[in-house]
Amino acid sequence: MAEGKFVVTPWEVRGEVNYDKLVKEFGTEKISEALLKRIQRHTGELHFMLRRKIFFSHRDLNWILDQYEKDNKFFLYTGRGPSGNTTLGHMVPWIFTKWLQEKFDVELYFQITDDEKFLLKPELSLKQTQNFANENILDIIAVGFDPKKTHIFTDTQYAKTLYSTAIKVAKHVTFSTAKAVFGFKNESNIGISFFPAIQAVPCFLPSILKEKNIPCLIPAAIDQDPYWRISRDVAPKLGFYKPAQIHSKFIPGLGPGAKMSASDPKAAIFTTDSPEVVRKKIMNAFTGQQPTAELQRKHGGNPEICSVCQYYYFLFEENDKKVEKIFEEERSGKILAGEHKEDLADKAVKFIEEHQKKRERAKDQIDKFMLKD
Ligand code: TRP
């Protein structure tokens, strides 16, 4: 891959992502300061993920707020592809979604695409993606969504409801469009070429269930945008509003590189890791620091590529001043990696221990959340 090249599709994120370029290529809009102020008028404060532009791009967010201000409340739709256990990286957009739910007091539909991951990953059986779905659901519930307002479903268990809308969507999407948007090849299995119709359905489902049009806002990483382009194309043809989006950047892992990937177990912290494993992974994390303490003190490091700094930034430190201090200490070489790692490990272990307690309690809550046929 040539320098400066990067690839972002729903199924692959590679290279150094240039988010400005991506916004242009995808035709989305950056979240402006004016839009942030408008959000803040409703939420009172801005979540650190908005302040830091972790959620940085959108489609039709102004329209969503227009509607909200006219008492036409939206619902939230997000999802998870159960290809493995949940990592801390997955939790970042969920934590933000919970904040949106609380601040706007809205319903949330949460799709778990056990079908997608089965079709896409040659190495995974359907049983496996369904098992991961069950595990992931515990993490989702543990985030603290309101059980009265949150509806979680897996595609295979809710297929009867999803199917009739999926075929209505599918009838409006030609193979050549799907191919252009998703990069399907002649060798791709035919299941995956139909799947985008299934991921479109929840954009419209509440409108169908409640028999009135309800605006939809999707918080998700920007790699999911191709799905929403299809959904937005089809929406008016089926008589629905186009779904709006708020897009996040990718959450880096513990190794060098762009995204925390569940497929590299050493570079990701799983919500099921024991505190000892969490500590060990952090102590072995990539920091990009100079090879010796002496050189680090002299030249300093680069917080932008230091995974320890990035963890604080994306998840563990809500206070902007404190994050800036951590970055500055790294840049100036004042603090060495070891110390930063110890502090981060303490925070991460505390987070994991609390999360695991909530995860245990979630086991008795499942029925309150699930939609099934
Ligand atoms: N395709 C997504 C994934 O692989 C899962 C998903 C389904 C999703 N619906 C969504 C993600 C809506 C975000 C928003 O992870």
Side-chain angles (χ1 to χ4, degrees):
M1 201 163 45
E3 214 188 309
K5 275 252 178 164
F6 62 93
V7 178
V8 175
T9 75
W11 303 316
E12 188 186 24
V13 178
R14 198 154 38 93
E16 181 97 21
V17 179
N18 178 331
Y19 288 103
D20 285 341
K21 253 194 184 161
L22 206 56
V23 162
K24 284 213 187 82
E25 270 174 34
F26 282 6
T28 69
E29 270 178 76
K30 285 220 230 168
I31 298 179
S32 67
E33 292 306 314
L35 183 49
L36 284 182
K37 287 220 175 73
R38 191 172 176 196
I39 296 169
Q40 192 169 6
R41 280 209 295 279
H42 293 285
T43 58
E45 44 160 22
L46 281 181
H47 196 273
F48 76 87
M49 292 182 203
L50 284 171
R51 291 200 309 267
R52 291 179 199 165
K53 306 277 163 77
I54 293 171
F55 276 82
F56 73 109
S57 150
H58 75 104
R59 288 180 196 272
D60 280 349
L61 193 48
N62 272 306
W63 173 79
I64 282 285
L65 294 173
D66 291 342
Q67 295 300 315
Y68 186 79
E69 286 162 12
K70 284 190 246 166
D71 271 341
N72 190 17
K73 262 198 192 180
F74 58 92
F75 70 92
L76 295 163
Y77 161 36
T78 194
R80 155 82 182 141
S83 55
N85 285 316
T86 307
T87 68
L88 292 185
H90 296 130
M91 308 259 310
V92 169
W94 301 349
I95 290 167
F96 180 67
T97 302
K98 178 188 174 243
W99 182 83
L100 287 176
Q101 176 175 61
E102 255 173 40
K103 294 291 171 182
F104 289 96
D105 188 27
V106 288
E107 306 242 346
L108 164 66
Y109 284 76
F110 208 124
Q111 178 179 43
I112 318 277
T113 57
D114 50 352
D115 50 350
E116 176 190 23
K117 295 300 166 181
F118 165 66
L119 289 166
L120 201 70
K121 304 260 175 185
E123 70 281 12
L124 289 180
S125 68
L126 186 56
K127 192 86 219 122
Q128 281 172 310
T129 63
Q130 288 171 330
N131 285 341
F132 283 134
N134 292 335
E135 290 295 319
N136 295 167
I137 286 166
L138 297 177
D139 293 304
I140 293 163
I141 293 174
V143 170
F145 294 110
D146 179 350
K148 287 197 214 69
K149 294 204 153 85
T150 304
H151 315 283
I152 308 174
F153 55 93
T154 69
D155 287 341
T156 58
Q157 284 186 326
Y158 202 42
K160 195 173 158 201
T161 301
L162 300 175
Y163 190 68
S164 47
T165 304
I167 56 175
K168 287 181 197 164
V169 171
K171 200 171 178 180
H172 290 287
V173 185
T174 65
F175 184 65
S176 70
T177 300
K179 196 172 159 187
V181 172
F182 294 97
F184 295 132
K185 302 190 183 68
N186 276 350
E187 296 71 36
S188 306
N189 70 60
I190 59 173
I192 200 65
S193 65
F194 175 72
F195 174 75
I198 297 277
Q199 185 156 326
V201 175
C203 303
F204 317 127
L205 189 65
S207 300
I208 297 165
L209 296 176
K210 299 194 175 156
E211 295 179 6
K212 61 167 191 199
N213 257 347
I214 310 175
C216 169
L217 175 63
I218 306 171
I222 193 159
D223 61 336
Q224 296 298 305
D225 189 69
Y227 284 111
W228 319 132
R229 265 176 266 158
I230 299 256
S231 312
R232 288 169 62 86
D233 261 8
V234 173
K237 296 177 185 161
L238 298 182
F240 298 116
Y241 295 127
K242 291 185 179 196
Q245 285 90 51
I246 180 160
H247 302 113
S248 79
K249 298 179 178 168
F250 307 112
I251 316 305
L254 289 170
K259 190 179 164 187
M260 183 188 272
S261 167
S263 50
D264 181 359
K266 282 205 295 301
I269 295 177
F270 293 97
T271 59
T272 44
D273 282 343
S274 69
E276 295 71 36
V277 169
V278 171
R279 189 170 292 279
K280 201 160 140 205
K281 283 182 176 173
I282 290 182
M283 295 315 289
N284 288 329
F286 174 82
T287 61
Q289 289 208 345
Q290 309 287 346
T292 66
E294 200 184 330
L295 284 172
Q296 176 65 19
R297 288 220 168 80
K298 202 160 151 205
H299 300 298
N302 178 359
E304 302 307 326
I305 60 162
C306 166
S307 57
V308 174
C309 293
Q310 293 299 311
Y311 259 98
Y312 279 114
Y313 183 83
F314 280 99
L315 186 60
F316 286 125
E317 185 51 73
E318 290 183 24
N319 183 316
D320 293 342
K321 287 211 180 78
K322 286 191 185 159
V323 166
E324 188 36 51
K325 184 162 172 267
I326 291 164
F327 275 39
E328 184 42 40
E329 286 167 351
E330 167 78 19
R331 236 179 262 125
S332 65
K334 215 158 60 193
I335 298 246
L336 298 180
E339 271 176 77
H340 266 166
K341 284 180 177 172
E342 293 278 5
D343 290 346
L344 179 67
D346 290 344
K347 282 209 160 177
V349 163
K350 197 163 156 251
F351 180 93
I352 282 281
E353 283 174 344
E354 275 168 24
H355 179 77
Q356 287 176 356
K357 274 189 219 142
K358 292 182 201 152
R359 204 177 182 280
E360 268 311 300
R361 272 184 252 136
K363 291 181 180 165
D364 305 323
Q365 307 271 311
I366 299 174
D367 290 343
K368 284 195 210 154
F369 286 91
M370 298 305 291
L371 292 178
K372 283 180 190 173
D373 286 315

